[in-house]
Amino acid sequence: MVQVKYVRLWPAGHTRECDRLRVDELEHRIAAPHSVGGQHCSEFHVDRPIQPSWQPSYRCCEWLRCCGGGEPRPRTVWLGHPEKRDQRYPRNVINNQKYNFFTFLPGVLFNQFKYFFNLYFLLLACSQFVPEMRLGALYTYWVPLGFVLAVTIIREAVEEIRCYLRDKEVNSQVYSRLTVRGTVKVKSANIQVGDLIIVEKNQRVPADMIFLRTSEKNGSCFLRTDQLDGETDWKLRLPVACTQRLPTAADLLQIRSYIYAEEPSIDIHNFVGTFTREDSDPSISESLSIENALWAGTVIASGTVVGVVLYTGRELRSVMNTSNPRSKIGLFDLEVNCLTKILFGALVVVSLVMVALQHFAGRWYLQIIRFLLLFSNIIPISLRVNLDMGKIVYSWVIRRDSKIPGTVVRSSTIPEQLGRISYLLTDKTGTLTQNEMVFKRLHLGTVAYGLDSMDEVQSHIFSIYTQQSQDPPAQKGPTITTKVRRTMSSRVHEAVKAIALCHNVTPVYESNGVTDQAEAEKQYEDSCRVYQASSPDEVALVQWTESVGLTLVGRDQSSMQLRTPGDQILNFTILQIFPFTYESKRMGIIVRDESTGEITFYIKGADVVMAGIVQYNDWLEEEDESTGEITFYIKGADVVMAGIVQYNDWLEEECGNMAREGLRVLVVAKKSLAEEQYQDFEARYVQAKLSVHDRSLKVATVIESLEMEMELLCLTGVEDQLQADVRPTLETLRNAGIKVWMLTGDKLETATCTAKNAHLVTRNQDIHVFRLVTNRGEAHLELNAFRRKHDCALVISGDSLEICLKYYEYEFMELACQCPAVVCCRCAPTQKAQIVRLLQERTGKLTCAVGDGGNDVSMIQESDCGVGVEGKEGKQASLAADFSITQFKHLGRLLMVHGRNSYKRSAALSQFVIHRSLCISTMQAVFSSVFYFASVPLYQGFLIIGYSTIYTMFPVFSLVLDKDVKSEVAMLYPELYKDLLKGRPLSYKTFLIWVLISIYQGSTIMYGALLLFESEFVHIVAISFTSLILTELLMVALTIQTWHWLMTVAELLSLACYIASLVFLHEFIDVYFIATLSFLWKVSVITLVSCLPLYILKYLRRRFSPPSYSKLTS
């Protein structure tokens, strides 16, 4: 899987008055296809959309669209004729590179030098080309700076090359295009609007298309949309009926037809358009909806499809739903940059003081610059090198951790972010859950069947079909027991039959090596059958009906076959299907039993809707079944169905009980209709479906006319299996002070069930479900209602969230941030990114986003720290993330152990490097003050380079291996992580303490050397420099909390290097003097005075005010 990063271009919901006029005109044409305004309809089918008489043409803005400007507008697309276009369309190319060949070097250098730290050292190095300002050899300034820049340029170049190769792979994927000359191969980048593209099974859809034909016998196909909306549910898609009826795909080029489509939109769940064929008499018009659309980035799951391209390039739904990736700068780096500015201020003050003490004599401005250069060590360039190398070590340690195998660090610049996360925003499907459904409960009102009692259900089904086949004579005077038993069997049978028929599942037969596909399909071979569906819930239900004896063995667009326990095949004709939508929260189907002629309407849905549909039912009354009745079955989520069913005394209570167990609850019902009633419904339904304006509202109104006084059949409970150790991981994160928000594109009921099941919402917490709001007034009332609740988890839908953020952004975020947990459902990818951005702006805290699908990429890239989970939804999120893990449970160790260690180690390392530089700068200041404020360097040449490299670099850098507690303790006590959220390891307080230590030690060493030297100046250099090296080595030993063998090696190696190099430093140090006893005792005394007080203070602090972690290690 390749990483794809996109840029959102157009605002959501953008419309213009002329577009509405065109829709109205087109709707009028569809309603009266024979004539419009007294003329034949075909005269109006020109090569561009109808323009209102008062509306000027958009040609004047054509040049803007070439440059990426202009506004999106509706279009007319002729099948197979891309040259017939009314506007210019973008190329179908993916380009995620930040730079090109010409902008790479300038761009990288600009990004480096726009920060104060690097710009300062560039100016410093450049100043050495001026003779009056030169203080030493050029290499002492340019080599460190060049090393830092080289590392950065190489890293950026490697990332750009990888990005280019990924883009090339996507743009070079080959597809088949239908032309008048036959089928030709075309690269994805060369596909144009209007092309007829053939997409094979398991192939990615290259552009936004309308589905025209399929090779599947059932006349439909399934689509995997996990990389677009985060749902691994397969979506059913239907071709345009007119083009599906054509004998061959080549005939698509022989007909004169076009598609009128809405302007490019960000909405991935809706589409409005029409298909018109002109060369028939009369012309044929069909409405197009989301059921006919194939969006780019989705994958064909069944058969081979042919589609016509509508949108390309930046106008793709997937592109418009993905935000631009940003270069992430860690909060730790920003804090270090701030400390650097403080040090620069100190540098300027010290330089001015030195010149002021000279009474600004002579060319004082040059003296200021020389002092600025002389004290430039106050800001250590080695700080950047050490921190960057430390990040590389942290990344290596994370990758090598055997307890989180498969973890990949894709961004080595922000490992410290992992140690300061305040908000964790996680996807649901595939991240918290496995997306594997298991049927758990069947509830009939008076009796419930769980996993341990499914054999009773099986026996009821078997007895019903056995009695039907044997047709036993009626018994005289049946006992009450027999009647109750027979009634229970009848009720169980009706419920199982409803579940087996009310769905969108299609059985598919594949060869198993013994039986070929055609034979398996003919014989309904069980071992070769797999179920394809738009929802794993549906598959779980159908698999359960198979396990109890009623098996779905065949289905196409117009029929369905069930097999009974006695191997009898029941044939049903599908008259209508009403798919599940977020607005309706239910799905229904009307079928005709071929053996009896009965027409049955099943519906299933949420309890809130179904309560008003289903009539009161006395469960102990035996049901009468009469032929010729039309029965309407319905099923839906529990939240909806309460508004469809009439009074009953158990529905609400049992739905609540099952929901508290973390089950997805559906209410199943049916209704009997007269033949005339169905015919009247069908006529009104077809008319509503042809509407272009407010189509969904009109269709819903017609369907709702049937959904009254329905008979309640049963409740079903299905469980979505959680990922391993999700509950303890979420509990660990909560105890660490991290607030968890779940952002999902899934349904509200599903998200709420998962939140309860994963213990994201604890048992003693209330849940406030934010009702659907459509305007400012409703949002205001609902926010006031929510404000009155305390310690309450919030569940809100994407539509309501959009209204709240539009009018009450500050108030909503203030209330939401106080919640212990927040669940946002039906979130678009851009909404997820918007929530992350608002959290960062409103709270100023660090955010971490976790996801596994392409729809999570925007959220991952917007967050301060993005984590991708490699799962069933591919690697797109993993490739776009800063860190990639294989399971959600690994997140706990990534944050509690590696994040904590990285932050604490970098804090100690940065402050120690600053301390090392401040020490030598303090000594320089004392030296210049004693010698009449002369701008003469104390140490020159190799001494100044060696001090921050071979003499002290290894011991100081070994601090990246230090740790205060063992990893097991850090996982066992996540409260330790909470201490880091306050930023205490690197704060102004700790910085000031290290500054005072540096001033004390630098002054002690320099004054000690001045007091104890005897005759020659070179002795001052020898005594002070040796004491400085020893002090640094001892301070490292004082700072270390847990010794590693490499730390000991680094200390001894550095000391050995210094002693060995003294032989070659005769230019700066008197070799004979350092061999005397006088030198040894002077160095020992100075070192002891500079370090011993600090050791005593450390002991007293640990004795009387120990840190929290020391209590756990003692």
Side-chain angles (χ1 to χ4, degrees):
M1 203 68 183
V2 293
Q3 176 187 1
V4 184
K5 300 177 183 175
Y6 300 103
V7 183
R8 172 183 170 185
L9 295 173
W10 311 117
H14 189 84
T15 58
R16 291 191 306 275
E17 185 64 30
C18 62
D19 298 343
R20 289 194 290 272
L21 286 176
R22 290 181 194 164
V23 169
D24 293 340
E25 289 179 22
L26 195 59
E27 181 180 0
H28 177 61
R29 285 169 49 188
I30 294 169
H34 295 289
S35 64
V36 176
Q39 301 182 44
H40 194 273
C41 193
S42 61
E43 296 178 19
F44 284 82
H45 298 314
V46 292
D47 287 356
R48 60 191 179 91
I50 302 169
Q51 297 280 352
S53 58
W54 55 268
Q55 179 69 33
S57 172
Y58 287 101
R59 296 288 181 188
C60 60
C61 296
E62 199 71 28
W63 64 276
L64 284 174
R65 293 187 60 76
C66 301
C67 307
E71 295 178 346
R73 55 194 175 102
R75 62 192 59 188
T76 299
V77 178
W78 292 84
L79 269 62
H81 297 284
E83 69 280 357
K84 291 185 178 182
R85 56 187 180 193
D86 61 318
Q87 51 185 295
R88 196 180 181 110
Y89 304 118
R91 289 190 65 211
N92 195 44
V93 294
I94 301 298
N95 183 10
N96 300 306
Q97 294 173 251
K98 288 190 287 187
Y99 314 102
N100 59 35
F101 180 80
F102 300 101
T103 62
F104 174 73
L105 196 58
V108 172
L109 293 177
F110 172 77
N111 283 330
Q112 286 300 302
F113 293 124
K114 69 180 179 181
Y115 296 107
F116 172 80
F117 192 90
N118 293 333
L119 181 62
Y120 167 75
F121 286 110
L122 176 66
L123 296 174
L124 192 68
C126 291
S127 69
Q128 295 305 290
F129 289 111
V130 180
E132 290 85 355
M133 299 180 186
R134 182 175 297 178
L135 292 177
L138 284 175
Y139 70 86
T140 59
Y141 292 92
W142 280 101
V143 169
L145 181 63
F147 176 77
V148 172
L149 291 179
V151 169
T152 302
I153 290 171
I154 292 171
R155 185 176 63 204
E156 288 285 340
V158 170
E159 289 183 4
E160 281 295 288
I161 292 171
R162 288 176 179 171
C163 189
Y164 167 75
L165 294 175
R166 287 195 296 266
D167 290 347
K168 185 178 179 182
E169 182 182 349
V170 175
N171 294 325
S172 300
Q173 288 181 354
V174 177
Y175 295 86
S176 297
R177 178 170 60 190
L178 279 177
T179 66
V180 291
R181 299 185 303 276
T183 303
V184 298
K185 298 295 182 182
V186 60
K187 290 184 177 180
S188 175
N190 297 329
I191 290 174
Q192 302 178 56
V193 173
D195 281 344
L196 297 174
I197 302 298
I198 301 173
V199 187
E200 305 287 343
K201 181 180 179 180
N202 293 326
Q203 199 172 20
R204 183 184 68 89
V205 178
D208 288 352
M209 306 195 302
I210 289 299
F211 184 15
L212 300 177
R213 287 181 61 82
T214 177
S215 62
E216 292 287 277
K217 292 181 181 179
N218 59 15
S220 63
C221 85
F222 280 98
L223 203 63
R224 295 204 300 268
T225 62
D226 46 19
Q227 294 299 314
L228 185 67
D229 59 14
E231 299 182 33
T232 52
D233 312 352
W234 288 9
K235 307 296 188 298
L236 185 71
R237 291 292 182 262
L238 303 174
V240 177
C242 176
T243 53
Q244 179 66 20
R245 288 194 296 265
L246 295 175
T248 64
D251 294 326
L252 290 170
L253 294 164
Q254 307 305 319
I255 63 174
R256 180 174 171 79
S257 58
Y258 67 86
I259 289 172
Y260 179 79
E262 63 182 358
E263 70 274 10
S265 167
I266 197 172
D267 189 354
I268 61 176
H269 299 294
N270 294 292
F271 173 74
V272 175
T274 56
F275 170 87
T276 303
R277 180 176 177 181
E278 286 191 333
D279 56 356
S280 63
D281 191 15
S283 62
I284 299 173
S285 291
E286 290 186 36
S287 62
L288 301 177
S289 67
I290 186 65
E291 289 184 341
N292 311 110
L294 307 173
W295 299 144
T298 58
V299 177
I300 303 298
S302 63
T304 300
V305 306
V306 181
V308 59
V309 177
L310 283 188
Y311 310 111
T312 54
R314 62 175 178 266
E315 294 179 344
L316 297 175
R317 290 302 207 262
S318 55
V319 173
M320 298 171 74
N321 270 286
T322 312
S323 57
N324 192 22
R326 63 186 182 95
S327 298
K328 296 184 181 180
I329 306 297
L331 177 61
F332 177 82
D333 293 317
L334 295 176
E335 290 173 344
V336 169
N337 198 48
C338 182
L339 295 181
T340 305
K341 293 176 182 177
I342 294 174
L343 291 173
F344 179 76
L347 167 64
V348 172
V349 169
V350 171
S351 302
L352 288 173
V353 167
M354 288 293 179
V355 175
L357 292 173
Q358 291 180 339
H359 305 291
F360 295 97
R363 301 168 69 182
W364 58 270
Y365 49 88
L366 278 180
Q367 285 295 316
I368 289 179
I369 296 175
R370 284 183 62 87
F371 274 117
L372 287 172
L373 296 171
L374 193 63
F375 295 125
S376 61
N377 281 322
I378 288 178
I379 306 175
I381 192 170
S382 59
L383 176 61
R384 186 79 268 153
V385 178
N386 276 277
L387 290 178
D388 285 347
M389 290 174 65
K391 294 174 192 290
I392 294 172
V393 172
Y394 308 147
S395 302
W396 181 83
V397 171
I398 292 172
R399 285 194 295 265
R400 291 293 299 269
D401 190 344
S402 60
K403 293 186 178 179
I404 48 173
T407 302
V408 179
V409 181
R410 302 195 188 280
S411 177
S412 59
T413 58
I414 55 171
E416 298 91 356
Q417 301 278 74
L418 292 170
R420 306 175 68 182
I421 301 299
S422 296
Y423 288 91
L424 179 76
L425 301 103
T426 176
D427 180 39
K428 179 189 73 69
T429 308
T431 304
L432 295 178
T433 68
Q434 301 177 28
N435 209 41
E436 293 180 0
M437 305 298 169
V438 178
F439 189 93
K440 290 280 189 178
R441 188 77 51 82
L442 177 70
H443 206 296
L444 299 176
T446 55
V447 63
Y449 296 98
L451 288 177
D452 55 347
S453 55
M454 289 304 173
D455 54 339
E456 295 182 32
V457 178
Q458 192 172 7
S459 65
H460 285 308
I461 298 297
F462 183 79
S463 66
I464 283 289
Y465 287 103
T466 302
Q467 290 171 12
Q468 288 180 0
S469 62
Q470 294 177 354
D471 193 20
Q475 299 178 7
K476 292 184 181 181
T479 62
I480 296 297
T481 306
T482 305
K483 182 177 180 182
V484 171
R485 182 182 57 77
R486 182 187 298 173
T487 302
M488 183 56 67
S489 295
S490 177
R491 287 170 52 199
V492 170
H493 166 247
E494 194 60 52
V496 173
K497 182 180 174 183
I499 296 169
L501 288 172
C502 190
H503 53 71
N504 261 320
V505 181
T506 303
V508 177
Y509 294 87
E510 299 176 350
S511 173
N512 61 0
V514 178
T515 310
D516 63 13
Q517 182 177 347
E519 183 66 22
E521 192 168 346
K522 185 177 179 181
Q523 300 296 329
Y524 299 135
E525 187 68 40
D526 289 344
S527 60
C528 302
R529 184 174 54 250
V530 293
Y531 293 116
Q532 293 180 344
S534 60
S535 167
D537 301 60
E538 304 243 276
V539 174
L541 292 171
V542 172
Q543 287 174 339
W544 174 77
T545 63
E546 178 182 0
S547 70
V548 297
L550 207 55
T551 306
L552 176 69
V553 292
R555 181 178 183 149
D556 55 29
Q557 273 193 295
S558 60
S559 67
M560 199 184 312
Q561 292 79 39
L562 299 181
R563 186 172 64 197
T564 68
D567 286 335
Q568 178 188 357
I569 301 299
L570 306 179
N571 291 293
F572 298 86
T573 300
I574 301 174
L575 301 179
Q576 299 289 348
I577 295 179
F578 313 108
F580 181 93
T581 66
Y582 175 61
E583 291 77 17
S584 69
K585 296 183 176 65
R586 56 191 180 273
M587 71 87 57
I589 186 170
I590 301 179
V591 297
R592 186 198 304 273
D593 190 334
E594 292 298 315
S595 61
T596 63
E598 293 179 1
I599 300 177
T600 310
F601 182 6
Y602 294 91
I603 185 168
K604 61 182 179 182
D607 68 326
V608 170
V609 173
M610 296 292 284
I613 291 179
V614 181
Q615 66 182 355
Y616 174 75
N617 185 34
D618 182 356
W619 291 102
L620 292 178
E621 264 185 47
E622 190 170 2
E623 300 174 14
D624 289 329
E625 295 185 5
S626 57
T627 59
E629 284 189 343
I630 299 176
T631 312
F632 169 26
Y633 290 86
I634 182 169
K635 67 177 179 179
D638 58 313
V639 181
V640 183
M641 301 291 278
I644 295 176
V645 299
Q646 272 194 355
Y647 166 75
N648 60 79
D649 55 2
W650 61 272
L651 176 62
E652 184 178 352
E653 181 183 354
E654 292 303 331
C655 286
N657 292 338
M658 293 168 72
R660 278 187 286 274
E661 295 178 32
L663 301 180
R664 300 189 186 192
V665 183
L666 287 178
V667 181
V668 184
K670 72 170 185 178
K671 184 179 182 180
S672 298
L673 306 171
E675 182 72 34
E676 297 78 12
Q677 194 175 357
Y678 172 70
Q679 295 299 336
D680 173 64
F681 163 78
E682 186 180 32
R684 290 184 290 118
Y685 184 64
V686 171
Q687 184 68 26
K689 283 181 69 176
L690 279 175
S691 173
V692 173
H693 191 61
D694 291 333
R695 179 193 301 168
S696 59
L697 179 63
K698 293 176 182 177
V699 168
T701 303
V702 174
I703 296 174
E704 286 172 8
S705 66
L706 284 183
E707 297 172 346
M708 293 181 293
E709 300 297 319
M710 299 200 67
E711 181 184 353
L712 177 59
L713 294 178
C714 66
L715 304 184
T716 64
V718 177
E719 182 182 41
D720 189 357
Q721 299 286 82
L722 292 175
Q723 294 272 8
D725 294 333
V726 163
R727 290 169 182 160
T729 301
L730 289 176
E731 185 178 359
T732 297
L733 296 175
R734 264 200 308 272
N735 292 337
I738 300 174
K739 289 189 176 181
V740 183
W741 289 29
M742 187 169 78
L743 313 181
T744 176
D746 218 331
K747 300 180 283 290
L748 185 143
E749 295 77 25
T750 307
T752 307
C753 284
T754 303
K756 293 175 181 176
N757 201 16
H759 295 175
L760 178 65
V761 179
T762 58
R763 291 188 179 275
N764 57 351
Q765 281 177 351
D766 292 328
I767 297 178
H768 178 81
V769 179
F770 204 94
R771 69 181 180 89
L772 191 64
V773 296
T774 57
N775 55 55
R776 182 171 187 165
E778 292 178 355
H780 179 74
L781 292 173
E782 190 64 19
L783 281 172
N784 284 339
F786 178 47
R787 191 187 301 273
R788 291 190 287 270
K789 299 191 176 181
H790 303 285
D791 193 33
C792 179
L794 172 66
V795 179
I796 186 171
S797 67
D799 295 335
S800 299
L801 178 68
E802 187 175 354
I803 297 295
C804 289
L805 294 180
K806 182 177 180 181
Y807 297 111
Y808 299 105
E809 180 183 297
Y810 177 80
E811 293 84 353
F812 175 80
M813 290 305 297
E814 181 184 22
L815 290 172
C817 289
Q818 295 171 3
C819 294
V822 176
V823 177
C824 298
C825 57
R826 300 302 285 182
C827 275
T830 46
Q831 270 188 319
K832 293 184 177 183
Q834 182 187 15
I835 293 169
V836 174
R837 189 162 52 250
L838 286 172
L839 273 176
Q840 293 167 341
E841 293 171 356
R842 295 297 178 189
T843 66
K845 304 290 182 64
L846 292 187
T847 59
C848 175
V850 189
D852 69 323
N855 66 316
D856 301 316
V857 170
S858 295
M859 171 176 73
I860 285 171
Q861 292 176 338
E862 187 64 39
S863 65
D864 297 294
C865 183
V867 179
V869 181
E870 286 189 23
K872 295 179 181 178
E873 299 188 17
K875 292 187 176 181
Q876 191 168 347
S878 167
L879 291 170
D882 306 303
F883 301 90
S884 170
I885 56 179
T886 56
Q887 296 183 61
F888 182 82
K889 66 177 182 180
H890 293 166
L891 187 66
R893 186 173 178 86
L894 188 66
L895 297 181
M896 300 301 111
V897 177
H898 296 290
R900 185 174 182 276
N901 286 342
S902 298
Y903 176 46
K904 295 204 73 169
R905 288 166 177 173
S906 285
L909 179 63
S910 60
Q911 291 176 125
F912 209 94
V913 172
I914 291 173
H915 160 264
R916 184 177 64 185
S917 299
L918 282 176
C919 272
I920 199 170
S921 298
T922 302
M923 294 171 66
Q924 177 67 58
V926 172
F927 175 78
S928 296
S929 301
V930 170
F931 289 95
Y932 305 102
F933 311 107
S935 56
V936 178
L938 172 60
Y939 305 122
Q940 296 186 6
F942 185 77
L943 285 182
I944 198 69
I945 293 288
Y947 170 66
S948 57
T949 53
I950 63 171
Y951 297 154
T952 61
M953 182 180 71
F954 297 117
V956 171
F957 187 69
S958 70
L959 290 172
V960 300
L961 302 173
D962 192 20
K963 57 183 178 181
D964 53 358
V965 295
K966 293 181 179 180
S967 57
E968 293 79 11
V969 175
M971 289 296 294
L972 191 60
Y973 298 98
E975 291 79 8
L976 291 172
Y977 186 91
K978 195 182 295 186
D979 293 341
L980 304 188
L981 301 181
K982 300 173 183 177
R984 288 175 178 169
L986 181 66
S987 61
Y988 291 120
K989 177 183 176 181
T990 57
F991 172 69
L992 181 61
I993 290 172
W994 277 102
V995 168
L996 294 176
I997 291 173
S998 304
I999 293 172
Y1000 165 74
Q1001 291 186 324
S1003 303
T1004 299
I1005 293 170
M1006 196 66 238
Y1007 278 117
L1010 290 171
L1011 288 173
L1012 297 178
F1013 93 103
E1014 295 173 355
S1015 55
E1016 299 183 24
F1017 172 76
V1018 73
H1019 291 174
I1020 296 179
V1021 174
I1023 294 171
S1024 63
F1025 194 75
T1026 305
S1027 299
L1028 180 62
I1029 298 296
L1030 292 176
T1031 297
E1032 287 300 316
L1033 297 181
L1034 288 173
M1035 283 300 294
V1036 170
L1038 173 67
T1039 305
I1040 291 173
Q1041 293 166 347
T1042 305
W1043 280 86
H1044 189 281
W1045 66 271
L1046 283 174
M1047 295 175 173
T1048 307
V1049 170
E1051 290 267 329
L1052 296 176
L1053 182 63
S1054 297
L1055 186 60
C1057 286
Y1058 177 64
I1059 294 172
S1061 65
L1062 290 176
V1063 179
F1064 308 100
L1065 298 177
H1066 53 81
E1067 182 181 350
F1068 310 106
I1069 295 176
D1070 185 352
V1071 180
Y1072 298 104
F1073 172 67
I1074 63 176
T1076 63
L1077 190 62
S1078 174
F1079 170 79
L1080 293 176
W1081 78 259
K1082 291 176 181 177
V1083 168
S1084 300
V1085 169
I1086 293 173
T1087 305
L1088 193 64
V1089 172
S1090 68
C1091 293
L1092 186 60
L1094 298 177
Y1095 269 86
I1096 295 171
L1097 287 174
K1098 179 182 179 181
Y1099 171 78
L1100 293 175
R1101 183 173 179 272
R1102 289 186 68 91
R1103 180 74 175 80
F1104 297 105
S1105 179
S1108 56
Y1109 62 82
S1110 66
K1111 301 171 186 176
L1112 301 175
T1113 55
S1114 58

